[in-house]
Amino acid sequence: MKFYVCIKMVPDVNAPLQIKDGQLIQDADRMILNAYDASAVEEALVLKEKHGGEVEVVCIGSAKASETIRKALAMGADKATHIQTSGDEQYDSGSYARILAKFFGDKEYDVLSLGKQSQDTDSGLTGSMVAELLELPYTTNAVGLEAEDGKLIVKRQGDSGQEMIELPTPCAVTCSNDMNEPRIPNLKGIMASKRKPVDQIELSSLGLSDDELTPNTSVKGYEEKPGREPGKKFEGEPDEIAREVAQLLDTEANVL
Amino acid sequence: MSTILTHIAISDGKIKRSSLEVLSHCKKIAESGGHSVEAVIIDEKASSYVDGVKKYGASKIYTVEDPVFKNHMNTPLLKALAKVMETANPFVFAFASTEGTKDILGALAANQDASVLPDVSSFELIDGGIKAKRPVMAAKIVANTEAKGDKILVSVRSGSYDLVESETDAEVVNIDFNLDDSDLKATLKEIISASGDTIDLNEAEAIVAAGRGVKDEEGQNLISELASVLNAGIGASRALTEAGVYDPSLQIGQTGKVVSPQLYIAVGISGAIQHVAGMANSKVIVAINKDPDAPIFEVADYGIVGDLYKVLPPFIEEIKKIKN
């Protein structure tokens, strides 16, 4: 099976965040491969190991994104395409989806996979947008993948339980990071990644119009999340503090 | 006058409270802006939910009824939503942010060439569009966002707005729906449901959530007993759903469900940011943990430092007394 996995470089959400004059100050050294995309790469590698085929990663981003691409190659992806941008663009999910749809328009593949959302924006739109633009059958929030007779069997987490969905190929799927533990590249993988082909293409070479790249939504600024008032902490005899808190939930918080 | 349309989600035979919260908010902003608010129900038995929706002030209720909507499947749902948008021509189409919504929102936006803001915690109308607050970066900060255009989709986190009843005599419009087999791009093979009698965490007034500190059957029994006394839903941290102790559908956090009940009791949960991202909007948070430095205490209104096996039995007894 031929897998294309779309990956994105994102800021590490575990790094300290700073907001200055409504702008988010990000530590340039703390950029990582989006965790959901790492799960999508891992799952593609597992299916390739089982059924054969090829895993290619595609990344839209500035020159710095080559580190993210290298990480996916070190995990075991066979090759990569880097769609280069200046990095200053304020693209939204729609812009990214239109770029990807244009890129995949003339490609052949069985499965197009992505993380179910990216950790910085938490939007979760790009996957189903690309699928719709390419008129592919798709499913989102996969927690398990199997390949069978040219079909993809997806276990997805829905609202009230898990659903088993059969997709004919070519198809698109977005992956949760609950489906696996992405492998950590070993030394051999890291060395091998340096010899793997990375196709560098300029965004402008895809021939998208300004309209297609113009985002419909914009971020006007960031603000601190309204903090919760510091609560009360109770230490001491379990019997006593348990009863005391139960009483407070009734008389003070009015939630019983 | 323009139209704000609200999607009414149905789950397990009930109207999702979160979609009525969105309808209540849309009613309010529509009135102040001189717009009309309408609602759409897409379900196998859509018309049976009309009375429940009428209480919340929609002037028109569209129904799309077909057996195919018994279970969630994105292709027929997208087709129905596109048809509804063509009929109602809304400038804003608002959804509750459920897994079902997340499955189709991007595709619907692409299909309708609409602007879209997902998973917002609040939104307002502005000239030529909407502005919205979105928790981002694992819900650690808030982004002030705007969407412009003549068609805007938005999905709203549960618990963001209160229910406000305002009964109207809404006009009910049934939209014809026919599905060709060729329209079904994907096939739903099976639903592997969580146990049917569990309380929907997105809708629950109270949630008792279990974490790594809940080590055995005795711990799980205490969780169940506390949940039963409070009529609460049971949730779990990623550690326990991964270990197979609780069903994956019960996972709360950035990767699981985002919840906002009146009362959230975190038992034996340390409070990793991914978990906190899913529950920080709860009205009152109680944390029980034996590590006094656990990060969960930073967001808890009431923090009990202690061994859950010793704390829960007297806690449950006291709540029983209060409830009686």
Side-chain angles (χ1 to χ4, degrees):
Chain A
M1 280 185 137
K2 166 81 184 188
F3 278 87
Y4 271 114
V5 187
C6 303
I7 60 172
K8 186 180 176 190
M9 178 179 72
V10 296
D12 183 353
V13 294
N14 292 306
L17 293 172
Q18 220 192 334
I19 297 168
K20 205 175 166 192
D21 301 328
Q23 293 308 305
L24 182 59
I25 314 293
Q26 291 172 356
D27 183 347
D29 292 333
R30 299 285 296 262
M31 300 299 280
I32 56 166
L33 168 60
N34 179 34
Y36 303 99
D37 298 344
S39 283
V41 172
E42 173 65 31
E43 208 61 20
L45 294 172
V46 168
L47 287 180
K48 180 196 143 179
E49 282 156 11
K50 236 189 237 177
H51 304 284
E54 187 183 52
V55 176
E56 178 167 350
V57 294
V58 179
C59 182
I60 303 168
S62 64
K64 192 168 170 50
S66 54
E67 291 166 28
T68 302
I69 293 170
R70 204 54 73 185
K71 166 91 185 278
L73 292 173
M75 286 173 71
D78 300 291
K79 53 181 176 170
T81 296
H82 182 180
I83 303 173
Q84 290 182 314
T85 64
S86 74
D88 297 330
E89 306 86 356
Q90 302 293 319
Y91 292 149
D92 68 357
S93 309
S95 319
Y96 283 117
R98 289 186 289 271
I99 295 169
L100 291 171
K102 189 84 175 187
F103 173 77
F104 287 114
D106 61 354
K107 304 283 184 296
E108 286 196 4
Y109 50 88
D110 298 293
V111 180
L112 188 59
S113 67
L114 311 83
K116 71 163 183 163
Q117 65 198 64
S118 60
Q119 286 172 291
D120 51 353
T121 66
D122 286 328
S123 290
L125 297 167
T126 308
S128 70
M129 279 179 165
V130 174
E132 177 69 18
L133 292 171
L134 294 168
E135 296 181 13
L136 293 172
Y138 77 92
T139 192
T140 60
N141 203 12
V143 293
L145 291 186
E146 283 297 332
E148 198 179 279
D149 302 330
K151 292 187 190 107
L152 195 68
I153 314 291
V154 183
K155 186 173 6 164
R156 87 175 283 273
Q157 183 63 51
D159 280 306
S160 52
Q162 294 184 332
E163 300 152 7
M164 294 297 276
I165 294 165
E166 188 179 287
L167 297 172
T169 56
C171 62
V173 61
T174 78
C175 300
S176 166
N177 63 345
D178 291 339
M179 68 199 310
N180 56 40
E181 204 59 59
R183 65 194 70 186
I184 295 161
N186 57 24
L187 188 62
K188 195 176 153 205
I190 294 166
M191 295 308 287
S193 74
K194 294 179 178 163
R195 294 188 301 274
K196 289 179 178 173
V198 179
D199 193 7
Q200 306 274 358
I201 62 171
E202 290 287 335
L203 175 60
S204 56
S205 72
L206 289 177
L208 287 139
S209 66
D210 286 349
D211 246 19
E212 288 170 293
L213 290 171
T214 308
N216 295 319
T217 63
S218 54
V219 176
K220 298 295 172 191
Y222 295 91
E223 59 187 61
E224 302 283 350
K225 211 173 155 184
R228 296 186 74 93
E229 291 292 312
K232 297 176 194 165
K233 212 155 151 184
F234 299 81
E235 295 186 63
E237 276 303 309
D239 276 23
E240 284 170 27
I241 56 177
R243 289 202 185 94
E244 191 179 349
V245 171
Q247 285 293 338
L248 287 170
L249 290 178
D250 183 36
T251 56
E252 188 178 77
N254 293 317
V255 286
L256 292 187
Chain B
M1 189 168 81
S2 306
T3 299
I4 301 178
L5 184 62
T6 307
H7 174 257
I8 304 297
I10 309 293
S11 178
D12 299 327
K14 278 190 295 205
I15 299 173
K16 275 200 174 257
R17 178 194 159 95
S18 44
S19 23
L20 297 174
E21 293 168 1
V22 179
L23 176 55
S24 298
H25 175 62
C26 288
K27 171 82 176 167
K28 189 174 144 216
I29 58 172
E31 273 179 351
S32 57
H35 305 290
S36 68
V37 61
E38 301 178 353
V40 56
I41 311 164
I42 301 172
D43 188 75
E44 184 190 22
K45 296 172 184 154
S47 48
S48 66
Y49 301 102
V50 163
D51 287 346
V53 177
K54 272 186 177 173
K55 286 187 201 138
Y56 295 90
S59 61
K60 195 184 276 186
I61 299 171
Y62 297 96
T63 55
V64 188
E65 216 167 71
D66 191 283
V68 76
F69 300 121
K70 183 169 191 285
N71 297 306
H72 172 85
M73 277 194 285
N74 56 32
T75 327
L77 185 56
L78 277 166
K79 195 178 173 190
L81 287 166
K83 194 159 184 197
V84 170
M85 285 186 76
E86 277 145 32
T87 312
N89 194 26
F91 79 110
V92 172
F93 192 1
F95 296 75
S97 183
T98 63
E99 284 306 333
T101 300
K102 287 175 186 172
D103 194 34
I104 50 92
L105 200 64
L108 183 64
N111 179 281
Q112 295 288 305
D113 199 16
S115 306
V116 52
L117 286 174
D119 224 14
V120 306
S121 54
S122 66
F123 78 96
E124 299 297 330
L125 303 179
I126 53 169
D127 222 14
I130 65 167
K131 66 173 183 179
K133 290 192 184 294
R134 295 192 62 238
V136 296
M137 306 289 282
K140 281 165 91 179
I141 56 171
V142 174
N144 290 309
T145 56
E146 280 185 17
K148 294 280 177 90
D150 50 9
K151 269 189 267 186
I152 297 169
L153 311 181
V154 59
S155 73
V156 184
R157 290 178 160 221
S158 74
S160 298
Y161 294 107
D162 293 330
L163 290 185
V164 183
E165 290 197 20
S166 62
E167 181 107 25
T168 48
D169 190 19
E171 180 191 350
V172 179
V173 179
N174 182 47
I175 296 181
D176 277 342
F177 183 79
N178 295 302
L179 193 77
D180 298 332
D181 280 351
S182 61
D183 288 336
L184 268 180
K185 292 180 182 171
T187 321
L188 179 69
K189 305 296 280 184
E190 192 187 347
I191 306 259
I192 315 160
S193 256
S195 58
D197 56 354
T198 52
I199 295 170
D200 183 349
L201 294 176
N202 284 321
E203 311 285 300
E205 295 276 318
I207 292 174
V208 178
R212 208 184 288 273
V214 178
K215 294 189 187 305
D216 50 21
E217 208 179 315
E218 185 193 345
Q220 292 154 37
N221 288 340
L222 288 168
I223 295 288
S224 301
E225 197 181 345
L226 177 58
S228 148
V229 171
L230 291 166
N231 192 28
I234 293 178
S237 72
R238 186 174 174 187
L240 289 201
T241 55
E242 276 191 343
V245 178
Y246 289 99
D247 188 89
S249 65
L250 303 182
Q251 187 188 319
I252 290 167
Q254 195 190 15
T255 50
K257 288 205 158 83
V258 175
V259 298
S260 46
Q262 296 289 302
L263 173 62
Y264 188 91
I265 304 181
V267 184
I269 289 177
S270 67
I273 61 163
Q274 288 81 358
H275 183 81
V276 171
M279 49 66 90
N281 283 336
S282 305
K283 188 168 165 241
V284 173
I285 297 173
V286 178
I288 302 170
N289 202 298
K290 61 182 176 188
D291 174 8
D293 298 321
I296 192 78
F297 289 125
E298 289 164 26
V299 296
D301 301 282
Y302 301 97
I304 302 178
V305 181
D307 181 346
L308 69 95
Y309 291 89
K310 291 189 180 133
V311 170
L312 282 182
F315 189 60
I316 292 166
E317 280 315 305
E318 192 66 19
I319 291 173
K320 272 187 192 162
K321 268 192 224 160
I322 294 167
K323 289 267 186 189
N324 289 329

